[in-house]
Amino acid sequence: MNDCVPDFEIQMEEEEENPIPVSKKASTQNDDIMELLWQNGQVVMQSQNQRPIRKPPREIRSSEPQNYANNQHLFMQEDEMASWLHYPIHQDPPPLDHHNFSADIFYPPPNAALQCSVRADHLRHPPPRPPIPPPSRMHNFVHFSKHANASLSSKVAAAQPTVVDSCDTPVATADRVETARASGGKPAAPGGGRETATCDMTVTSSPGGSSGSAEPDQREAAVDRKRKGREAEESEFQSEDVDFESPEAKKQVRGSTSTKRSRAAEVHNLSERRRRDRINEKMKALQELIPRCNKSDKASMLDEAIEYLKSLQLQVQMMSMGCGMVPMMFPGIQQYMPPMGMGIGMGMGMEMGMGMNRPVMTFPNMLASSTLPAATAAAHLGPRFPMPPFHMPHVAAPDSSRVQAANHSDNTMLNSHGTLDPDQSRIPNFTDPYHQYLQLMQAMNQPNVSKPSTSRGQENPEKHQSDET
Amino acid sequence: MSSRRSRQHSGSTRISDDQIIELVSKLRQLVPEIRSRRSDKVSASKVLQETCNYIRSLHREVNDLSERLAQLLTTIDADSAEAGIIRSLLNQ
């Protein structure tokens, strides 16, 4: 945030209830410990037990850049001297300060150089404040407010008089002018750090000068100022609102169509972005699931995910088949055989290791013995259907590569598959084993060049089976 | 194995829609749950979500099956053919 330039927009948005204080420094004042809090680029003077004075952001808007310093409505603690240093350049009546010190206090000294970083711009409409501080302070504030009045911008000036008048007291008027000038000079001189000291000096000096006559009046004035300040604030708010809204209104009136279109485009972009975010998030989750995935490229990562998914499916089938294999020893083993997975599992089993050939062979043999009735019917057909029909659906998958790898073991596979024909009734769409066989061979022949070897291998299983059975 | 389309040069975080569509269609074929749905209505994020869920369920299934196989291994003759199969399955 820029110290020197009022951030109207920021002020507008920031109407926080509680300023986020980044304590800039703590200055010990007469009776209280005031803290300089950093609020949105402005330093706000705040007493420890009091809330910072807030000023509607709009106020700042109206002020000129050089006057921003004046917009700082310090939360002034009664004893806080420095508060009156930062006056909003008038603008509006004491901002939100319902505090003892009416906003008048914060009217900026004529000296725009006073870059009191304290700012109460974002201060909100403050709640009722504690009682007014000592009259001496008020006195000074009054002066300042009056002074500020002079330099008020046109807009602010309108609001100002309200405040100024409220605190105007016949006696104090003259004093105000003097004090304002005097105090105006002082605040201008010191930098941010010395503001406190300056304030102190000024404050101490002023009471001496005018405390006698002005005190009682000041007290009243302070009260009035507080009250009027509140009103002024409200009016200020309203005026600010109006100002703030007018640009929008103009925009709406002028380009209703264009505004709609631009908004629609914005909405579209937002939704598109959200969709993309969702997708990216899911992809990250997917990447975590894939083991040893070191691809940063999304496309390759997805490819790997696809492969991994396939391998996982195969693995599960194999294992389920293996689990079912053991119970196969017992009669009635058919029920344990997964209809679809069996053939594939066998095929995959072939890939797993050469050593599995024999075990796999025994398996189908057992099956054959256990399913004699069905086997008998299909026995003569068995040799002819070395390939299980359920290989069909997976032909599209890289089964061809697997088949190639297992070519040498195709004999066994075919043999085993052949005995599974009786179970093929569970396999969908396969009514005629012979047709299934034909389809399978057809499919196998297409993707795989080595199919002829497979077909040749079919001869062996026939002999094998007959031998083993 | 999948054809890579040229991607926009916007870093690894961006991916072209075509790529997404292609890969998502592949995933859709693999994930049974999505296969049964109407393909034209499935969004990419939905497919990815279902894929993640499917992979997790497959992981669980593999774990369960591994446990079962391990148990079966103890019940059968260690020298039998089935034991060999089971062992090979477990060693994957």
Side-chain angles (χ1 to χ4, degrees), chain B:
Chain B
M1 64 169 58
S2 68
S3 62
R4 297 251 170 140
R5 314 233 171 129
S6 59
R7 254 179 333 148
Q8 299 167 10
H9 241 331
S10 35
S12 62
T13 55
R14 304 284 286 275
I15 185 171
S16 76
D17 281 341
D18 287 342
Q19 271 182 320
I20 291 181
I21 292 172
E22 173 196 350
L23 297 170
V24 161
S25 68
K26 285 191 184 173
L27 282 175
R28 202 178 296 155
Q29 294 165 12
L30 293 173
V31 180
E33 189 173 316
I34 301 184
R35 241 192 327 228
S36 55
R37 299 189 196 182
R38 285 180 52 195
S39 59
D40 56 347
K41 275 198 166 185
V42 185
S43 71
S45 74
K46 183 69 172 172
V47 170
L48 286 174
Q49 180 66 47
E50 292 301 327
T51 301
C52 288
N53 296 341
Y54 187 53
I55 288 181
R56 286 194 202 105
S57 73
L58 284 181
H59 280 167
R60 279 197 303 268
E61 201 170 336
V62 166
N63 290 339
D64 291 344
L65 287 173
S66 300
E67 283 178 23
R68 256 177 77 190
L69 282 174
Q71 287 174 6
L72 286 175
L73 199 56
T74 62
T75 63
I76 62 173
D77 182 13
D79 294 334
S80 68
E82 291 81 14
I85 298 176
I86 293 176
R87 269 184 239 116
S88 61
L89 285 172
L90 286 171
N91 290 339
Q92 291 177 26

Side-chain angles (χ1 to χ4, degrees), chain A residues 136-412:
Chain A
S136 59
R137 304 250 166 63
M138 295 308 295
H139 178 76
N140 294 329
F141 302 141
V142 171
H143 296 319
F144 283 107
S145 68
K146 170 95 178 184
H147 194 82
N149 243 348
S151 53
L152 271 181
S153 60
S154 62
K155 184 182 180 223
V156 179
Q160 285 253 326
T162 327
V163 180
V164 177
D165 294 339
S166 66
C167 53
D168 229 52
T169 59
V171 180
T173 308
D175 289 339
R176 280 189 221 147
V177 178
E178 297 168 10
T179 312
R181 277 189 237 114
S183 51
K186 281 189 185 151
R194 286 168 298 177
E195 290 168 351
T196 307
T198 307
C199 291
D200 287 333
M201 285 163 24
T202 312
V203 173
T204 48
S205 64
S206 51
S210 55
S211 59
S213 60
E215 277 186 67
D217 295 327
Q218 286 170 357
R219 282 206 199 93
E220 296 175 3
V223 178
D224 290 342
R225 250 175 275 134
K226 248 173 72 171
R227 220 182 20 226
K228 296 285 170 61
R230 232 173 275 129
E231 296 170 358
E233 260 175 54
E234 291 167 359
S235 65
E236 179 77 17
F237 278 117
Q238 291 162 7
S239 59
E240 294 286 354
D241 288 332
V242 171
D243 289 346
F244 188 62
E245 291 168 359
S246 56
E248 290 181 352
K250 285 178 201 167
K251 180 187 174 189
Q252 288 165 3
V253 170
R254 254 184 321 202
S256 61
T257 312
S258 62
T259 308
K260 281 181 204 166
R261 279 200 217 109
S262 61
R263 281 184 193 165
E266 288 172 14
V267 168
H268 176 68
N269 289 344
L270 278 175
S271 61
E272 184 65 26
R273 202 190 315 160
R274 259 182 266 127
R275 175 179 158 270
R276 283 261 180 214
D277 288 344
R278 267 203 309 269
I279 289 180
N280 290 341
E281 186 185 320
K282 302 279 167 58
M283 291 197 72
K284 259 183 263 172
L286 185 60
Q287 187 174 13
E288 285 167 13
L289 282 175
I290 299 175
R292 294 184 296 279
C293 178
N294 54 354
K295 301 277 192 335
S296 59
D297 177 21
K298 297 257 160 97
S300 61
M301 196 272 286
L302 279 179
D303 278 338
E304 208 164 306
I306 291 170
E307 291 312 307
Y308 179 63
L309 189 55
K310 286 185 202 156
S311 71
L312 258 190
Q313 281 175 334
L314 287 175
Q315 184 179 6
V316 167
Q317 283 169 353
M318 282 295 301
M319 296 181 88
S320 61
M321 182 202 68
C323 280
M325 190 176 67
V326 174
M328 291 295 189
M329 314 276 295
F330 308 95
I333 165 184
Q334 275 174 328
Q335 60 204 11
Y336 291 99
M337 284 171 38
M340 290 293 294
M342 184 57 79
I344 306 243
M346 293 290 212
M348 295 314 113
M350 293 303 106
E351 298 173 15
M352 298 298 182
M354 306 314 165
M356 288 188 57
N357 289 355
R358 216 185 307 173
V360 174
M361 282 179 62
T362 51
F363 172 47
N365 289 336
M366 287 189 292
L367 282 178
S369 60
S370 61
T371 60
L372 268 178
T376 311
H380 65 285
L381 297 175
R384 287 191 234 167
F385 314 120
M387 304 297 247
F390 37 68
H391 254 290
M392 283 295 299
H394 295 263
V395 170
D399 276 357
S400 58
S401 61
R402 285 193 287 270
V403 172
Q404 280 178 358
N407 267 351
H408 60 283
S409 57
D410 273 355
N411 301 344
T412 310

